[in-house]
């Protein structure tokens, strides 16, 4: 359903609320399998970020605006565990920083509160996706072939192709990309950035934070620890073996287990002795 602008999918009917924010080129349904594994104990919300999935398009990308749109889905009398991956991780961090009363705890997946220089890689994906001849497309496999040279990794290619939709029937049938590729390509520098200057009067987030990184990813590095600790002093870090940037899809069983442990009702992390969440999974 679309609620206050952003499209959401709800799973589960009881327990505390867990809200998922996907990354660039993703959509809420990327977390469906994981959400279903939590739905016996939690109310799960999968959100399509702005300019992605079935959420509305905008005229420019802005992290603060995106975070406030997600915040509009939440209420202070029902604070959530907010889970965000990559771009969605930055959005989730900003929701926690700007609206701490809405976020009971935070899970950040393979991203840090720093600017990155990965725009060239993503720009190549967008150029390739926009280069697919949608009017001449008869089968999804043709789009796969068209992307193969620019996106040789079949896992990444398959992830991107989840955004390709076939709509209508007969003479009205057509293919379209769900994300706002023109805007995402134009505003890539903003997406890979971190709005540090806009947070000068913002206090650190004092709730418990779990950082989940992939062992084969460079998005969460030791030299980013100062920024992570600066904004999120009560954080714990887990590195998942055998995973790159898409931790939750590359090692879903480990990811779900780590998530369940963090979501379980326990005493505040600041008062606990170091436990298994501090170790490499």
């Amino acid at each position: 359903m679309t609620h206050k602008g952003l499209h959401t999918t709800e799973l589960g009917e009881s327990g505390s609320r867990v809200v998922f924010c996907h990354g660039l080129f993703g959509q809420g349904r990327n977390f469906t399998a994981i959400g279903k594994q939590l739905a016996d104990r939690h109310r799960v919300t999968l959100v399509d970020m702005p300019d992605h999935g079935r959420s509305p398009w905008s005229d420019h990308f802005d992290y603060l605006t995106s975070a406030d749109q997600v915040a509009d889905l939440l209420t202070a009398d029902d604070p959530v565990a907010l889970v965000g991956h990559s771009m969605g991780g930055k959005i989730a961090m900003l929701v926690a920083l700007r609206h701490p009363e809405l976020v009971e705890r935070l899970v950040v997946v393979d991203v840090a509160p720093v600017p990155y220089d990965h725009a060239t890689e993503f720009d190549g994906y967008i150029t390739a996706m926009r280069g697919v001849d949608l009017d001449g497309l008869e089968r999804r496999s043709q789009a796969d072939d068209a992307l193969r040279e620019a996106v040789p990794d079949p896992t990444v290619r398959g992830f991107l192709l989840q955004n390709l939709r076939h709509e209508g029937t007969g003479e009205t049938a057509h293919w379209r990309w769900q994300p706002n590729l023109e805007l995402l390509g134009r505003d890539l520098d903003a997406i890979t950035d971190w709005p540090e200057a806009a947070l000068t009067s913002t206090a650190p987030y004092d709730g418990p934070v779990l950082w989940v990184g992939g062992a084969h990813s460079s998005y969460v590095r030791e030299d980013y620890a100062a920024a992570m600790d600066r904004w999120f002093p009560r954080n714990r870090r887990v590195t998942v073996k055998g995973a790159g940037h898409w931790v939750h899809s590359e090692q879903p069983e480990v990811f779900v287990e780590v998530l369940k442990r963090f979501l379980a009702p326990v005493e505040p992390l600041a008062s606990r002795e170091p436990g298994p969440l501090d170790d490499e999974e």
Side-chain angles (χ1 to χ4, degrees):
M1 63 180 175
T2 300
H3 173 70
K4 294 183 180 179
L6 299 183
H7 181 271
T8 62
T9 301
E10 308 292 337
L11 304 169
E13 298 178 354
S14 62
S16 60
R17 193 174 176 204
V18 185
V19 177
F20 286 87
C21 300
H22 63 78
L24 184 63
F25 307 125
Q27 48 197 308
R29 71 191 193 106
N30 295 148
F31 283 102
T32 300
I34 288 166
K36 285 181 176 178
Q37 293 185 70
L38 302 177
D40 59 334
R41 297 184 181 182
H42 302 278
R43 290 167 291 135
V44 176
T45 303
L46 313 177
V47 186
D48 285 355
M49 296 295 100
D51 299 292
H52 290 75
R54 286 176 279 181
S55 283
W57 287 10
S58 60
D59 56 8
H60 74 286
F61 181 88
D62 178 81
Y63 267 120
L64 303 184
T65 300
S66 297
D68 290 348
Q69 285 182 274
V70 172
D72 281 343
L73 303 172
L74 315 178
T75 60
D77 60 359
D78 187 20
V80 306
L82 192 57
V83 184
H85 170 248
S86 198
M87 176 194 77
K90 287 188 172 181
I91 291 172
M93 284 188 269
L94 289 164
V95 175
L97 288 169
R98 289 165 62 81
H99 309 278
E101 73 284 356
L102 304 178
V103 182
E104 191 270 331
R105 56 185 54 215
L106 176 67
V107 180
V108 182
V109 186
D110 213 62
V111 74
V114 299
Y116 290 93
D117 58 3
H118 296 145
T120 303
E121 174 189 357
F122 295 137
D123 188 52
Y125 295 162
I126 292 172
T127 300
M129 292 164 77
R130 295 187 71 189
V132 175
D133 178 13
L134 297 181
D135 292 334
L137 208 59
E138 296 180 0
R139 297 176 302 280
R140 184 176 296 269
S141 60
Q142 292 174 306
D144 185 75
D145 290 339
L147 291 177
R148 195 177 305 274
E149 183 177 349
V151 191
D153 186 324
T155 302
V156 177
R157 204 164 60 246
F159 171 72
L160 296 177
L161 285 169
Q162 289 182 16
N163 291 286
L164 185 61
R165 284 281 172 273
H166 188 259
E167 299 177 339
T169 57
E171 293 184 359
T172 65
H174 64 281
W175 294 87
R176 76 173 184 91
W177 293 108
Q178 279 192 306
N180 188 347
L181 294 178
E182 182 178 357
L183 175 141
L184 297 177
R186 188 194 71 210
D187 292 356
L188 262 181
D189 286 344
I191 295 171
T192 56
D193 203 0
W194 170 254
E196 187 82 23
L199 300 173
T200 51
S201 60
T202 303
Y205 173 68
D206 194 42
V209 179
L210 177 65
W211 235 291
V212 185
H216 304 316
S217 172
S218 61
Y219 278 77
V220 180
R221 304 200 312 240
E222 191 55 40
D223 49 335
Y224 298 155
M228 295 157 68
D229 294 340
R230 151 83 176 87
W231 289 113
F232 304 94
R234 294 176 59 199
N235 75 75
R236 286 193 164 186
R237 297 164 207 166
V238 174
T239 299
V240 178
K241 295 176 181 177
H245 184 51
W246 283 278
V247 185
H248 51 288
S249 60
E250 295 173 63
Q251 294 290 343
E253 296 86 1
V254 175
F255 183 77
V256 168
E257 180 58 31
V258 169
L259 205 52
K260 284 182 174 179
R261 280 194 244 165
F262 183 66
L263 296 175
V266 293
E267 67 270 28
L269 288 180
S271 66
R272 290 173 55 192
E273 292 298 315
L277 283 180
D278 298 296
D279 299 329
E280 187 173 270
E281 293 291 333

